[in-house]
């Protein structure tokens, strides 16, 4: 099983360059004053959120980030160059912990958010700074300071408004592909989606919301069946859940209960989120399909990604819920997302 939504990396900022010990040498001035320049600062290490990213998978292949040190100072008061900074791109929604203390350093939820995670060491001062009336020829300079280093534990909980939940093959990726610009892989076998996809759904002019498509879940996911429940962490912060069930399901009510059961095993709080049911693949539904009443307060929307049936109504309903314009009988519980 791939754990793409957590990763551990080591970051080390550069050390500062050494200050220089040097004395001015000019023609006719046999013994000039101290002119040793300062060392440059070591390179910093930054984290930066990149809305294009939806997994921490890249860190499986590269998990050490070491910035270079500052250049040492030189004679003639020449300051050494600073070491180049390293910027590490992470997805929005990355929670960063110090592995050693387990303390949360940051929850990077914004777009293009930057965080200085390891500070480069200051350069040492050159001997030009240490001359005094009684010590006109200091033969020493400061060393550079060490750059910070630490091991980070990162966990991703994607930032999205709507989370799609359903059995494999329910049509989650197909839905996100027709209502957003996301182009996920779609196929008629289970577990096509292995990493989450995010799509921006445009609604009228200037309005939009973000939808997350995650791998399918099956009965027993809590015990590790299928891809397990690890991806459910990505819907912990969504405002609402859309539960997708295919119209050709052998038992819609049972499928619904099974999904809720698995959600609850992962996090009871997920059941407190507002949710709706989307019956997909209506174009291949039996003529006499009867959609059972699952819950009287629940919106149930029949759609077909193929014919376009119900897509507009679904977008309307999603927008209403996401923008919080209507409140259902039960107030949406705060603090679970
Ligand atoms: N006829 C019809 N087929 C659909 C519709 N939506 C999806 N499908 C088909 O159902 C199959 C599964 O679709 P996906 O979108 O990959 O399903 P998924 O829920 O993302 O599946 P996993 O990623 O495996 O969890 C594909 O063959 C789709 O073409 C629909 O509205 N009508
Ligand atoms: Mg899929």
């Amino acid at each position: 099983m791939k754990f793409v939504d957590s990763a551990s990396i080591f970051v080390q900022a550069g050390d500062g360059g050494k200050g220089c010990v040097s004395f001015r040498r000019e023609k006719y001035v046999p013994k000039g004053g101290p002119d040793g320049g300062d060392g440059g600062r070591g390179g910093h290490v930054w984290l930066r959120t990149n809305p294009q990213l939806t997994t921490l998978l890249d860190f499986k292949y590269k998990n050490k980030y070491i910035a270079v040190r500052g250049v040492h100072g030189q004679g003639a008061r020449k300051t050494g160059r600073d070491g180049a900074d390293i910027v590490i791109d992470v997805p929005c929604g990355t929670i960063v912990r110090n592995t050693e203390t387990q303390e949360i350093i940051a929850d990077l939820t914004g777009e293009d958010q930057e965080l200085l995670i390891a500070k480069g060491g200051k350069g040492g001062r050159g001997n030009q700074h240490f001359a005094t009336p009684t010590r006109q020829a200091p033969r020493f300079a400061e060393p550079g300071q060490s750059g910070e280093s630490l091991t980070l534990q990162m966990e991703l909980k994607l930032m999205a408004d709507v989370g799609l939940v359903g059995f494999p093959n329910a049509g989650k990726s197909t839905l996100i592909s027709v209502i957003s610009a996301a182009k996920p892989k779609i196929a008629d076998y289970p577990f096509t989606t292995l990493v989450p996809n995010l799509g921006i759904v445009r609604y009228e002019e200037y309005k939009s919301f973000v939808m997350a498509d995650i791998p399918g879940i099956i009965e027993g996911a809590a015990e590790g069946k299928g891809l397990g429940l690890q991806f459910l962490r990505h819907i912990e912060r969504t405002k609402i859940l859309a539960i997708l069930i295919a119209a050709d399901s052998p038992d819609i009510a049972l499928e619904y209960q099974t999904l809720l059961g698995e959600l609850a095993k992962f996090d009871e709080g997920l059941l407190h989120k507002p949710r709706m049911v989307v019956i997909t693949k209506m174009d291949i539904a039996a003529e006499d399909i009867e959609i059972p009443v699952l819950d009287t307060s629940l919106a149930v929307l029949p759609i077909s990604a193929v014919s376009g049936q119900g897509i507009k109504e679904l977008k309307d309903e999603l927008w209403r819920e996401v923008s919080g314009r209507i409140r259902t009988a039960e107030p949406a519980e705060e603090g679970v997302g």
Side-chain angles (χ1 to χ4, degrees):
M1 199 190 294
K2 277 199 268 180
F3 290 94
V4 289
D5 31 22
S6 63
S8 174
I9 63 170
F10 173 74
V11 294
Q12 186 176 334
D15 295 340
K18 284 191 274 198
C20 172
V21 176
S22 162
F23 296 94
R24 198 160 53 233
R25 299 209 184 285
E26 287 170 38
K27 266 186 191 168
Y28 317 119
V29 186
K31 204 165 189 303
D35 71 352
D38 305 343
R41 170 180 62 70
H44 294 319
V45 182
W46 299 82
L47 297 181
R48 174 179 64 194
T49 54
N50 176 343
Q52 307 295 318
L53 298 175
T54 56
T55 90
L56 296 170
L57 186 61
D58 290 347
F59 299 112
K60 290 288 167 229
Y61 308 107
K62 178 163 168 59
N63 56 19
K64 280 199 179 73
Y65 294 83
I66 298 172
V68 294
R69 74 162 165 73
V71 173
H72 299 320
Q74 290 174 37
R77 301 178 189 269
K78 235 179 124 183
T79 303
R81 229 180 315 111
D82 291 346
D85 290 359
I86 292 180
V87 180
I88 306 170
D89 276 356
V90 299
C92 298
T94 301
I95 298 163
V96 185
R97 278 192 182 78
N98 178 329
T99 304
E100 206 179 319
T101 63
Q102 280 302 300
E103 165 203 13
I104 293 182
I105 302 172
D107 185 359
L108 301 171
T109 58
E111 287 186 12
D112 300 312
Q113 197 177 342
E114 289 191 354
L115 173 73
L116 179 57
I117 193 77
K119 234 180 171 168
K122 265 200 197 144
R125 285 178 298 170
N127 70 338
Q128 56 169 323
H129 299 285
F130 300 107
T132 61
T134 55
R135 188 180 59 209
Q136 291 185 359
R139 304 199 161 274
F140 60 90
E142 277 177 345
Q145 292 176 5
S146 303
E148 292 175 345
S149 68
L150 72 165
T151 305
L152 304 176
Q153 188 63 41
M154 299 197 286
E155 183 189 13
L156 177 60
K157 291 188 182 184
L158 287 173
M159 308 303 295
D161 299 301
V162 181
L164 301 182
V165 180
F167 278 9
N169 264 340
K172 300 178 293 297
S173 300
T174 307
L175 174 60
I176 206 171
S177 78
V178 301
I179 73 170
S180 80
K183 291 285 161 269
K185 189 171 169 194
I186 292 166
D188 63 355
Y189 53 82
F191 303 116
T192 305
T193 302
L194 297 172
V195 294
N197 303 298
L198 285 186
I200 298 170
V201 181
R202 306 262 169 228
Y203 185 75
E204 296 175 353
E205 248 182 311
Y206 311 121
K207 295 177 191 160
S208 65
F209 56 90
V210 179
M211 186 177 254
D213 164 33
I214 60 170
I217 38 180
I218 56 174
E219 176 159 26
E223 290 79 49
K225 291 227 178 99
L227 290 176
L229 295 178
Q230 50 166 319
F231 293 102
L232 288 180
R233 75 178 81 205
H234 296 303
I235 57 169
E236 284 189 315
R237 303 212 246 207
T238 63
K239 290 188 192 144
I240 61 173
L241 301 180
I243 311 236
L244 270 64
I245 301 173
D248 61 351
S249 161
D251 188 338
I252 291 176
L254 178 65
E255 195 165 322
Y256 177 69
Q257 289 309 331
T258 305
L259 286 166
L260 290 196
E262 295 300 326
L263 292 184
K265 283 185 213 164
F266 180 77
D267 175 0
E268 282 277 338
L270 289 176
L271 297 191
H272 298 305
K273 276 186 199 291
R275 57 176 177 262
M276 64 181 71
V277 171
V278 180
I279 307 293
T280 62
K281 310 193 190 183
M282 284 303 288
D283 56 295
I284 54 161
E287 287 274 305
D288 57 347
I289 182 172
E290 264 187 52
I291 299 169
V293 177
L294 302 167
D295 186 334
T296 46
S297 65
L298 202 65
V300 177
L301 294 119
I303 65 157
S304 165
V306 170
S307 73
Q309 175 196 339
I311 298 292
K312 173 157 190 323
E313 290 79 359
L314 174 62
K315 275 169 98 169
D316 288 344
E317 183 66 21
L318 289 171
W319 175 256
R320 259 202 301 278
E321 283 288 348
V322 166
S323 62
R325 269 199 284 138
I326 55 156
R327 283 272 157 249
T328 38
E330 261 183 305
E333 226 152 292
E334 292 297 333
V336 286

